[in-house]
Amino acid sequence: MPVMHFRVQWPDGTEANCYSPSTVVGEYFVAGQRYALDDFVERAREALHIGSERVREKYGFACSAAMDQLAQIEAQAERFASDAQAKVSIVELL
C-alpha cells in the first residue's frame, strides 16, 4: 500500500513531517495551500481515517500509525485554538 508524507507549517512557523498510510491525503491537501486551523484538522481527520480504513480493508486491522499521527495533529492544533486567524500551510506532499 503506498504511503504518503506531508509536511506542514504551523501558525508559529514550526514545521512537522506527517504520515498517511494512503495517498488519499493528496485528495485533501494541496502543496503551497494555507488552511484555516479547523479546516486543516478536519481534512486531516477525514484523510487519516480513510487511510486507516484502507489498511483495514487490505490487512484486516486499522492503521495505528495513522491514528497516532492524527492525535499528534490534534494536540498541536490545540496550541493555536484560541487564535481565530490561525492557518496551517502544506509545505509539500511526498
mmCIF file of all heavy atoms in Angstrom, residues 13-62:
data_model
loop_
_atom_site.group_PDB
_atom_site.id
_atom_site.type_symbol
_atom_site.label_atom_id
_atom_site.label_comp_id
_atom_site.label_asym_id
_atom_site.label_seq_id
_atom_site.Cartn_x
_atom_site.Cartn_y
_atom_site.Cartn_z
ATOM 1 N N GLY A 13 5.172 28.984 12.732
ATOM 2 C CA GLY A 13 6.301 28.819 11.831
ATOM 3 C C GLY A 13 7.030 27.493 11.957
ATOM 4 O O GLY A 13 7.868 27.165 11.118
ATOM 5 N N THR A 14 6.739 26.726 12.999
ATOM 6 C CA THR A 14 7.380 25.414 13.131
ATOM 7 C C THR A 14 6.808 24.474 12.080
ATOM 8 O O THR A 14 5.668 24.631 11.632
ATOM 9 C CB THR A 14 7.181 24.811 14.535
ATOM 10 O OG1 THR A 14 5.777 24.657 14.780
ATOM 11 C CG2 THR A 14 7.811 25.685 15.606
ATOM 12 N N GLU A 15 7.623 23.511 11.695
ATOM 13 C CA GLU A 15 7.194 22.540 10.697
ATOM 14 C C GLU A 15 7.174 21.143 11.297
ATOM 15 O O GLU A 15 7.912 20.855 12.237
ATOM 16 C CB GLU A 15 8.114 22.572 9.473
ATOM 17 C CG GLU A 15 7.996 23.858 8.699
ATOM 18 C CD GLU A 15 8.778 23.860 7.394
ATOM 19 O OE1 GLU A 15 9.404 22.825 7.044
ATOM 20 O OE2 GLU A 15 8.750 24.902 6.718
ATOM 21 N N ALA A 16 6.316 20.312 10.722
ATOM 22 C CA ALA A 16 6.219 18.918 11.166
ATOM 23 C C ALA A 16 6.044 18.028 9.953
ATOM 24 O O ALA A 16 5.336 18.383 9.001
ATOM 25 C CB ALA A 16 5.035 18.745 12.113
ATOM 26 N N ASN A 17 6.696 16.887 9.978
ATOM 27 C CA ASN A 17 6.513 15.872 8.947
ATOM 28 C C ASN A 17 5.406 14.936 9.420
ATOM 29 O O ASN A 17 5.451 14.432 10.536
ATOM 30 C CB ASN A 17 7.808 15.091 8.723
ATOM 31 C CG ASN A 17 8.870 15.955 8.087
ATOM 32 O OD1 ASN A 17 8.618 16.677 7.138
ATOM 33 N ND2 ASN A 17 10.066 15.895 8.624
ATOM 34 N N CYS A 18 4.431 14.716 8.558
ATOM 35 C CA CYS A 18 3.280 13.894 8.910
ATOM 36 C C CYS A 18 3.197 12.687 7.976
ATOM 37 O O CYS A 18 3.685 12.719 6.854
ATOM 38 C CB CYS A 18 2.007 14.711 8.811
ATOM 39 S SG CYS A 18 1.978 16.165 9.875
ATOM 40 N N TYR A 19 2.540 11.645 8.459
ATOM 41 C CA TYR A 19 2.449 10.363 7.763
ATOM 42 C C TYR A 19 1.001 10.011 7.472
ATOM 43 O O TYR A 19 0.117 10.218 8.301
ATOM 44 C CB TYR A 19 3.059 9.278 8.661
ATOM 45 C CG TYR A 19 2.721 7.872 8.236
ATOM 46 C CD1 TYR A 19 3.492 7.225 7.278
ATOM 47 C CD2 TYR A 19 1.631 7.200 8.779
ATOM 48 C CE1 TYR A 19 3.187 5.934 6.873
ATOM 49 C CE2 TYR A 19 1.311 5.911 8.384
ATOM 50 C CZ TYR A 19 2.087 5.284 7.425
ATOM 51 O OH TYR A 19 1.776 4.013 7.022
ATOM 52 N N SER A 20 0.780 9.455 6.296
ATOM 53 C CA SER A 20 -0.511 8.860 5.954
ATOM 54 C C SER A 20 -0.250 7.488 5.362
ATOM 55 O O SER A 20 0.651 7.332 4.526
ATOM 56 C CB SER A 20 -1.256 9.729 4.937
ATOM 57 O OG SER A 20 -2.404 9.049 4.457
ATOM 58 N N PRO A 21 -1.040 6.482 5.728
ATOM 59 C CA PRO A 21 -0.844 5.147 5.175
ATOM 60 C C PRO A 21 -1.367 5.020 3.741
ATOM 61 O O PRO A 21 -1.260 3.965 3.134
ATOM 62 C CB PRO A 21 -1.653 4.257 6.119
ATOM 63 C CG PRO A 21 -2.759 5.144 6.569
ATOM 64 C CD PRO A 21 -2.122 6.510 6.704
ATOM 65 N N SER A 22 -1.918 6.099 3.217
ATOM 66 C CA SER A 22 -2.539 6.073 1.897
ATOM 67 C C SER A 22 -2.312 7.404 1.188
ATOM 68 O O SER A 22 -2.170 8.448 1.837
ATOM 69 C CB SER A 22 -4.041 5.822 2.058
ATOM 70 O OG SER A 22 -4.727 6.062 0.852
ATOM 71 N N THR A 23 -2.341 7.362 -0.119
ATOM 72 C CA THR A 23 -2.202 8.595 -0.898
ATOM 73 C C THR A 23 -3.474 9.444 -0.875
ATOM 74 O O THR A 23 -3.493 10.522 -1.462
ATOM 75 C CB THR A 23 -1.842 8.262 -2.357
ATOM 76 O OG1 THR A 23 -2.855 7.410 -2.904
ATOM 77 C CG2 THR A 23 -0.478 7.597 -2.453
ATOM 78 N N VAL A 24 -4.493 9.002 -0.181
ATOM 79 C CA VAL A 24 -5.748 9.754 -0.107
ATOM 80 C C VAL A 24 -5.526 11.168 0.430
ATOM 81 O O VAL A 24 -6.268 12.086 0.093
ATOM 82 C CB VAL A 24 -6.815 9.003 0.726
ATOM 83 C CG1 VAL A 24 -6.452 8.999 2.208
ATOM 84 C CG2 VAL A 24 -8.191 9.620 0.521
ATOM 85 N N VAL A 25 -4.481 11.359 1.224
ATOM 86 C CA VAL A 25 -4.205 12.687 1.773
ATOM 87 C C VAL A 25 -4.005 13.708 0.649
ATOM 88 O O VAL A 25 -4.319 14.885 0.812
ATOM 89 C CB VAL A 25 -3.014 12.634 2.765
ATOM 90 C CG1 VAL A 25 -1.688 12.540 2.050
ATOM 91 C CG2 VAL A 25 -3.019 13.824 3.690
ATOM 92 N N GLY A 26 -3.532 13.243 -0.507
ATOM 93 C CA GLY A 26 -3.359 14.122 -1.658
ATOM 94 C C GLY A 26 -4.663 14.644 -2.225
ATOM 95 O O GLY A 26 -4.674 15.618 -2.974
ATOM 96 N N GLU A 27 -5.774 14.016 -1.856
ATOM 97 C CA GLU A 27 -7.094 14.488 -2.271
ATOM 98 C C GLU A 27 -7.639 15.550 -1.310
ATOM 99 O O GLU A 27 -8.618 16.221 -1.619
ATOM 100 C CB GLU A 27 -8.071 13.318 -2.340
ATOM 101 C CG GLU A 27 -7.678 12.268 -3.366
ATOM 102 C CD GLU A 27 -8.564 11.037 -3.311
ATOM 103 O OE1 GLU A 27 -9.697 11.113 -2.769
ATOM 104 O OE2 GLU A 27 -8.103 9.986 -3.791
ATOM 105 N N TYR A 28 -7.010 15.686 -0.166
ATOM 106 C CA TYR A 28 -7.479 16.614 0.855
ATOM 107 C C TYR A 28 -6.608 17.852 1.002
ATOM 108 O O TYR A 28 -7.060 18.864 1.537
ATOM 109 C CB TYR A 28 -7.581 15.889 2.202
ATOM 110 C CG TYR A 28 -8.779 14.985 2.267
ATOM 111 C CD1 TYR A 28 -8.748 13.722 1.701
ATOM 112 C CD2 TYR A 28 -9.953 15.405 2.866
ATOM 113 C CE1 TYR A 28 -9.847 12.892 1.732
ATOM 114 C CE2 TYR A 28 -11.064 14.584 2.907
ATOM 115 C CZ TYR A 28 -11.012 13.333 2.338
ATOM 116 O OH TYR A 28 -12.119 12.522 2.362
ATOM 117 N N PHE A 29 -5.349 17.752 0.558
ATOM 118 C CA PHE A 29 -4.420 18.870 0.711
ATOM 119 C C PHE A 29 -3.703 19.160 -0.593
ATOM 120 O O PHE A 29 -3.460 18.254 -1.395
ATOM 121 C CB PHE A 29 -3.369 18.565 1.793
ATOM 122 C CG PHE A 29 -3.938 18.404 3.161
ATOM 123 C CD1 PHE A 29 -3.776 17.209 3.843
ATOM 124 C CD2 PHE A 29 -4.624 19.429 3.782
ATOM 125 C CE1 PHE A 29 -4.287 17.040 5.122
ATOM 126 C CE2 PHE A 29 -5.150 19.272 5.050
ATOM 127 C CZ PHE A 29 -4.980 18.089 5.722
ATOM 128 N N VAL A 30 -3.320 20.430 -0.767
ATOM 129 C CA VAL A 30 -2.562 20.883 -1.921
ATOM 130 C C VAL A 30 -1.302 21.557 -1.397
ATOM 131 O O VAL A 30 -1.376 22.429 -0.525
ATOM 132 C CB VAL A 30 -3.386 21.876 -2.766
ATOM 133 C CG1 VAL A 30 -2.556 22.440 -3.913
ATOM 134 C CG2 VAL A 30 -4.663 21.215 -3.277
ATOM 135 N N ALA A 31 -0.146 21.152 -1.926
ATOM 136 C CA ALA A 31 1.115 21.773 -1.519
ATOM 137 C C ALA A 31 1.062 23.269 -1.823
ATOM 138 O O ALA A 31 0.587 23.688 -2.881
ATOM 139 C CB ALA A 31 2.288 21.121 -2.248
ATOM 140 N N GLY A 32 1.525 24.058 -0.855
ATOM 141 C CA GLY A 32 1.526 25.507 -1.000
ATOM 142 C C GLY A 32 0.254 26.182 -0.515
ATOM 143 O O GLY A 32 0.202 27.397 -0.394
ATOM 144 N N GLN A 33 -0.758 25.407 -0.233
ATOM 145 C CA GLN A 33 -2.047 25.953 0.212
ATOM 146 C C GLN A 33 -2.039 26.183 1.720
ATOM 147 O O GLN A 33 -1.426 25.431 2.467
ATOM 148 C CB GLN A 33 -3.165 24.974 -0.155
ATOM 149 C CG GLN A 33 -4.555 25.452 0.150
ATOM 150 C CD GLN A 33 -5.011 26.550 -0.798
ATOM 151 O OE1 GLN A 33 -4.656 26.543 -1.960
ATOM 152 N NE2 GLN A 33 -5.771 27.477 -0.285
ATOM 153 N N ARG A 34 -2.736 27.239 2.142
ATOM 154 C CA ARG A 34 -2.920 27.510 3.569
ATOM 155 C C ARG A 34 -4.371 27.209 3.928
ATOM 156 O O ARG A 34 -5.281 27.563 3.190
ATOM 157 C CB ARG A 34 -2.592 28.972 3.885
ATOM 158 C CG ARG A 34 -1.126 29.294 3.651
ATOM 159 C CD ARG A 34 -0.843 30.765 3.911
ATOM 160 N NE ARG A 34 -0.892 30.990 5.340
ATOM 161 C CZ ARG A 34 -1.203 32.156 5.897
ATOM 162 N NH1 ARG A 34 -1.516 33.191 5.164
ATOM 163 N NH2 ARG A 34 -1.207 32.288 7.208
ATOM 164 N N TYR A 35 -4.561 26.579 5.078
ATOM 165 C CA TYR A 35 -5.895 26.203 5.536
ATOM 166 C C TYR A 35 -6.145 26.787 6.912
ATOM 167 O O TYR A 35 -5.246 26.793 7.761
ATOM 168 C CB TYR A 35 -6.005 24.672 5.624
ATOM 169 C CG TYR A 35 -5.817 23.982 4.291
ATOM 170 C CD1 TYR A 35 -4.551 23.578 3.878
ATOM 171 C CD2 TYR A 35 -6.894 23.755 3.451
ATOM 172 C CE1 TYR A 35 -4.368 22.955 2.651
ATOM 173 C CE2 TYR A 35 -6.717 23.122 2.225
ATOM 174 C CZ TYR A 35 -5.449 22.737 1.831
ATOM 175 O OH TYR A 35 -5.270 22.124 0.611
ATOM 176 N N ALA A 36 -7.348 27.245 7.131
ATOM 177 C CA ALA A 36 -7.740 27.654 8.478
ATOM 178 C C ALA A 36 -7.525 26.451 9.392
ATOM 179 O O ALA A 36 -7.694 25.299 8.968
ATOM 180 C CB ALA A 36 -9.196 28.095 8.502
ATOM 181 N N LEU A 37 -7.129 26.702 10.613
ATOM 182 C CA LEU A 37 -6.777 25.633 11.548
ATOM 183 C C LEU A 37 -7.862 24.561 11.639
ATOM 184 O O LEU A 37 -7.578 23.365 11.505
ATOM 185 C CB LEU A 37 -6.494 26.220 12.930
ATOM 186 C CG LEU A 37 -6.080 25.229 14.009
ATOM 187 C CD1 LEU A 37 -4.721 24.610 13.674
ATOM 188 C CD2 LEU A 37 -6.029 25.919 15.360
ATOM 189 N N ASP A 38 -9.100 24.958 11.861
ATOM 190 C CA ASP A 38 -10.188 23.982 11.995
ATOM 191 C C ASP A 38 -10.386 23.175 10.714
ATOM 192 O O ASP A 38 -10.639 21.971 10.768
ATOM 193 C CB ASP A 38 -11.498 24.669 12.370
ATOM 194 C CG ASP A 38 -11.493 25.197 13.793
ATOM 195 O OD1 ASP A 38 -10.635 24.779 14.590
ATOM 196 O OD2 ASP A 38 -12.369 26.035 14.112
ATOM 197 N N ASP A 39 -10.270 23.834 9.567
ATOM 198 C CA ASP A 39 -10.412 23.157 8.285
ATOM 199 C C ASP A 39 -9.285 22.146 8.101
ATOM 200 O O ASP A 39 -9.515 21.003 7.681
ATOM 201 C CB ASP A 39 -10.408 24.179 7.152
ATOM 202 C CG ASP A 39 -10.670 23.564 5.786
ATOM 203 O OD1 ASP A 39 -11.405 22.567 5.691
ATOM 204 O OD2 ASP A 39 -10.127 24.112 4.797
ATOM 205 N N PHE A 40 -8.058 22.546 8.438
ATOM 206 C CA PHE A 40 -6.921 21.648 8.330
ATOM 207 C C PHE A 40 -7.128 20.401 9.190
ATOM 208 O O PHE A 40 -6.937 19.277 8.724
ATOM 209 C CB PHE A 40 -5.626 22.352 8.739
ATOM 210 C CG PHE A 40 -4.481 21.393 8.928
ATOM 211 C CD1 PHE A 40 -3.841 20.833 7.838
ATOM 212 C CD2 PHE A 40 -4.074 21.023 10.204
ATOM 213 C CE1 PHE A 40 -2.806 19.922 8.010
ATOM 214 C CE2 PHE A 40 -3.036 20.123 10.385
ATOM 215 C CZ PHE A 40 -2.402 19.566 9.282
ATOM 216 N N VAL A 41 -7.528 20.588 10.435
ATOM 217 C CA VAL A 41 -7.716 19.444 11.336
ATOM 218 C C VAL A 41 -8.819 18.527 10.819
ATOM 219 O O VAL A 41 -8.667 17.299 10.821
ATOM 220 C CB VAL A 41 -8.007 19.919 12.782
ATOM 221 C CG1 VAL A 41 -8.400 18.747 13.668
ATOM 222 C CG2 VAL A 41 -6.798 20.647 13.350
ATOM 223 N N GLU A 42 -9.903 19.095 10.339
ATOM 224 C CA GLU A 42 -10.999 18.270 9.829
ATOM 225 C C GLU A 42 -10.568 17.494 8.585
ATOM 226 O O GLU A 42 -10.880 16.309 8.449
ATOM 227 C CB GLU A 42 -12.226 19.131 9.515
ATOM 228 C CG GLU A 42 -13.442 18.327 9.138
ATOM 229 C CD GLU A 42 -13.843 17.283 10.169
ATOM 230 O OE1 GLU A 42 -13.709 17.518 11.383
ATOM 231 O OE2 GLU A 42 -14.302 16.189 9.760
ATOM 232 N N ARG A 43 -9.837 18.144 7.692
ATOM 233 C CA ARG A 43 -9.342 17.459 6.496
ATOM 234 C C ARG A 43 -8.387 16.331 6.885
ATOM 235 O O ARG A 43 -8.449 15.235 6.325
ATOM 236 C CB ARG A 43 -8.623 18.439 5.572
ATOM 237 C CG ARG A 43 -9.539 19.383 4.836
ATOM 238 C CD ARG A 43 -8.722 20.482 4.143
ATOM 239 N NE ARG A 43 -9.563 21.410 3.449
ATOM 240 C CZ ARG A 43 -9.837 21.347 2.142
ATOM 241 N NH1 ARG A 43 -9.305 20.397 1.402
ATOM 242 N NH2 ARG A 43 -10.622 22.239 1.597
ATOM 243 N N ALA A 44 -7.489 16.604 7.818
ATOM 244 C CA ALA A 44 -6.547 15.580 8.280
ATOM 245 C C ALA A 44 -7.302 14.412 8.908
ATOM 246 O O ALA A 44 -6.981 13.249 8.650
ATOM 247 C CB ALA A 44 -5.553 16.179 9.275
ATOM 248 N N ARG A 45 -8.297 14.731 9.706
ATOM 249 C CA ARG A 45 -9.097 13.690 10.366
ATOM 250 C C ARG A 45 -9.749 12.773 9.323
ATOM 251 O O ARG A 45 -9.670 11.554 9.409
ATOM 252 C CB ARG A 45 -10.154 14.354 11.247
ATOM 253 C CG ARG A 45 -10.912 13.410 12.138
ATOM 254 C CD ARG A 45 -11.850 14.158 13.075
ATOM 255 N NE ARG A 45 -11.081 14.884 14.085
ATOM 256 C CZ ARG A 45 -11.221 16.187 14.341
ATOM 257 N NH1 ARG A 45 -12.096 16.916 13.683
ATOM 258 N NH2 ARG A 45 -10.490 16.759 15.272
ATOM 259 N N GLU A 46 -10.384 13.384 8.329
ATOM 260 C CA GLU A 46 -11.059 12.588 7.296
ATOM 261 C C GLU A 46 -10.063 11.750 6.501
ATOM 262 O O GLU A 46 -10.275 10.555 6.282
ATOM 263 C CB GLU A 46 -11.836 13.511 6.353
ATOM 264 C CG GLU A 46 -13.071 14.108 6.984
ATOM 265 C CD GLU A 46 -13.844 15.001 6.020
ATOM 266 O OE1 GLU A 46 -13.838 14.707 4.810
ATOM 267 O OE2 GLU A 46 -14.431 15.985 6.477
ATOM 268 N N ALA A 47 -8.977 12.384 6.043
ATOM 269 C CA ALA A 47 -7.999 11.673 5.219
ATOM 270 C C ALA A 47 -7.347 10.527 5.987
ATOM 271 O O ALA A 47 -7.181 9.420 5.441
ATOM 272 C CB ALA A 47 -6.931 12.651 4.715
ATOM 273 N N LEU A 48 -6.978 10.760 7.234
ATOM 274 C CA LEU A 48 -6.304 9.720 8.003
ATOM 275 C C LEU A 48 -7.251 8.580 8.383
ATOM 276 O O LEU A 48 -6.841 7.417 8.424
ATOM 277 C CB LEU A 48 -5.615 10.321 9.228
ATOM 278 C CG LEU A 48 -4.412 11.197 8.870
ATOM 279 C CD1 LEU A 48 -3.934 11.982 10.077
ATOM 280 C CD2 LEU A 48 -3.287 10.372 8.269
ATOM 281 N N HIS A 49 -8.503 8.908 8.618
ATOM 282 C CA HIS A 49 -9.479 7.835 8.881
ATOM 283 C C HIS A 49 -9.687 6.981 7.628
ATOM 284 O O HIS A 49 -9.738 5.751 7.719
ATOM 285 C CB HIS A 49 -10.814 8.402 9.374
ATOM 286 C CG HIS A 49 -10.840 8.684 10.833
ATOM 287 N ND1 HIS A 49 -10.840 7.696 11.789
ATOM 288 C CD2 HIS A 49 -10.842 9.858 11.514
ATOM 289 C CE1 HIS A 49 -10.846 8.243 12.993
ATOM 290 N NE2 HIS A 49 -10.831 9.555 12.847
ATOM 291 N N ILE A 50 -9.783 7.632 6.481
ATOM 292 C CA ILE A 50 -9.936 6.870 5.236
ATOM 293 C C ILE A 50 -8.705 5.993 5.006
ATOM 294 O O ILE A 50 -8.816 4.814 4.666
ATOM 295 C CB ILE A 50 -10.174 7.814 4.042
ATOM 296 C CG1 ILE A 50 -11.567 8.433 4.144
ATOM 297 C CG2 ILE A 50 -10.013 7.061 2.713
ATOM 298 C CD1 ILE A 50 -11.807 9.575 3.165
ATOM 299 N N GLY A 51 -7.523 6.579 5.191
ATOM 300 C CA GLY A 51 -6.294 5.804 5.028
ATOM 301 C C GLY A 51 -6.251 4.606 5.958
ATOM 302 O O GLY A 51 -5.874 3.501 5.557
ATOM 303 N N SER A 52 -6.644 4.810 7.202
ATOM 304 C CA SER A 52 -6.659 3.726 8.173
ATOM 305 C C SER A 52 -7.651 2.631 7.759
ATOM 306 O O SER A 52 -7.366 1.439 7.885
ATOM 307 C CB SER A 52 -7.020 4.268 9.562
ATOM 308 O OG SER A 52 -7.031 3.228 10.508
ATOM 309 N N GLU A 53 -8.796 3.043 7.246
ATOM 310 C CA GLU A 53 -9.791 2.061 6.804
ATOM 311 C C GLU A 53 -9.315 1.290 5.572
ATOM 312 O O GLU A 53 -9.625 0.113 5.413
ATOM 313 C CB GLU A 53 -11.139 2.730 6.543
ATOM 314 C CG GLU A 53 -11.858 3.111 7.822
ATOM 315 C CD GLU A 53 -12.049 1.912 8.754
ATOM 316 O OE1 GLU A 53 -12.580 0.873 8.317
ATOM 317 O OE2 GLU A 53 -11.640 2.007 9.933
ATOM 318 N N ARG A 54 -8.541 1.949 4.722
ATOM 319 C CA ARG A 54 -7.980 1.234 3.567
ATOM 320 C C ARG A 54 -7.014 0.145 4.029
ATOM 321 O O ARG A 54 -6.962 -0.937 3.444
ATOM 322 C CB ARG A 54 -7.291 2.215 2.627
ATOM 323 C CG ARG A 54 -8.278 3.063 1.856
ATOM 324 C CD ARG A 54 -7.600 3.979 0.884
ATOM 325 N NE ARG A 54 -8.585 4.739 0.135
ATOM 326 C CZ ARG A 54 -8.298 5.678 -0.748
ATOM 327 N NH1 ARG A 54 -7.033 5.967 -1.025
ATOM 328 N NH2 ARG A 54 -9.252 6.323 -1.374
ATOM 329 N N VAL A 55 -6.270 0.438 5.070
ATOM 330 C CA VAL A 55 -5.383 -0.576 5.644
ATOM 331 C C VAL A 55 -6.225 -1.726 6.206
ATOM 332 O O VAL A 55 -5.915 -2.895 5.990
ATOM 333 C CB VAL A 55 -4.470 0.032 6.744
ATOM 334 C CG1 VAL A 55 -3.736 -1.053 7.510
ATOM 335 C CG2 VAL A 55 -3.483 1.025 6.124
ATOM 336 N N ARG A 56 -7.310 -1.378 6.896
ATOM 337 C CA ARG A 56 -8.192 -2.413 7.458
ATOM 338 C C ARG A 56 -8.749 -3.314 6.353
ATOM 339 O O ARG A 56 -8.787 -4.538 6.493
ATOM 340 C CB ARG A 56 -9.343 -1.788 8.237
ATOM 341 C CG ARG A 56 -10.255 -2.826 8.894
ATOM 342 C CD ARG A 56 -11.523 -2.241 9.488
ATOM 343 N NE ARG A 56 -11.314 -1.121 10.358
ATOM 344 C CZ ARG A 56 -10.972 -1.191 11.657
ATOM 345 N NH1 ARG A 56 -10.783 -2.381 12.210
ATOM 346 N NH2 ARG A 56 -10.829 -0.103 12.372
ATOM 347 N N GLU A 57 -9.164 -2.699 5.247
ATOM 348 C CA GLU A 57 -9.714 -3.480 4.136
ATOM 349 C C GLU A 57 -8.676 -4.443 3.563
ATOM 350 O O GLU A 57 -9.003 -5.564 3.188
ATOM 351 C CB GLU A 57 -10.221 -2.549 3.039
ATOM 352 C CG GLU A 57 -11.476 -1.790 3.414
ATOM 353 C CD GLU A 57 -11.820 -0.689 2.422
ATOM 354 O OE1 GLU A 57 -11.200 -0.626 1.330
ATOM 355 O OE2 GLU A 57 -12.703 0.118 2.746
ATOM 356 N N LYS A 58 -7.437 -3.983 3.494
ATOM 357 C CA LYS A 58 -6.391 -4.807 2.882
ATOM 358 C C LYS A 58 -5.802 -5.836 3.845
ATOM 359 O O LYS A 58 -5.536 -6.976 3.463
ATOM 360 C CB LYS A 58 -5.285 -3.918 2.343
ATOM 361 C CG LYS A 58 -4.227 -4.684 1.580
ATOM 362 C CD LYS A 58 -3.315 -3.773 0.804
ATOM 363 C CE LYS A 58 -2.336 -4.617 -0.009
ATOM 364 N NZ LYS A 58 -1.564 -3.846 -0.932
ATOM 365 N N TYR A 59 -5.589 -5.427 5.115
ATOM 366 C CA TYR A 59 -4.864 -6.292 6.053
ATOM 367 C C TYR A 59 -5.703 -6.825 7.217
ATOM 368 O O TYR A 59 -5.230 -7.632 7.995
ATOM 369 C CB TYR A 59 -3.650 -5.552 6.617
ATOM 370 C CG TYR A 59 -2.657 -5.152 5.550
ATOM 371 C CD1 TYR A 59 -2.535 -3.832 5.152
ATOM 372 C CD2 TYR A 59 -1.845 -6.109 4.937
ATOM 373 C CE1 TYR A 59 -1.626 -3.464 4.166
ATOM 374 C CE2 TYR A 59 -0.939 -5.756 3.953
ATOM 375 C CZ TYR A 59 -0.839 -4.428 3.565
ATOM 376 O OH TYR A 59 0.050 -4.068 2.600
ATOM 377 N N GLY A 60 -6.913 -6.308 7.366
ATOM 378 C CA GLY A 60 -7.780 -6.801 8.426
ATOM 379 C C GLY A 60 -7.661 -6.069 9.749
ATOM 380 O O GLY A 60 -8.292 -6.449 10.727
ATOM 381 N N PHE A 61 -6.862 -5.009 9.808
ATOM 382 C CA PHE A 61 -6.743 -4.205 11.032
ATOM 383 C C PHE A 61 -6.480 -2.761 10.652
ATOM 384 O O PHE A 61 -5.929 -2.468 9.596
ATOM 385 C CB PHE A 61 -5.618 -4.729 11.937
ATOM 386 C CG PHE A 61 -4.297 -4.879 11.227
ATOM 387 C CD1 PHE A 61 -3.420 -3.815 11.110
ATOM 388 C CD2 PHE A 61 -3.940 -6.097 10.676
ATOM 389 C CE1 PHE A 61 -2.216 -3.962 10.445
ATOM 390 C CE2 PHE A 61 -2.730 -6.258 10.009
ATOM 391 C CZ PHE A 61 -1.869 -5.176 9.894
ATOM 392 N N ALA A 62 -6.920 -1.868 11.505
ATOM 393 C CA ALA A 62 -6.754 -0.434 11.262
ATOM 394 C C ALA A 62 -5.281 -0.045 11.386
ATOM 395 O O ALA A 62 -4.478 -0.772 11.976
ATOM 396 C CB ALA A 62 -7.589 0.360 12.256
#
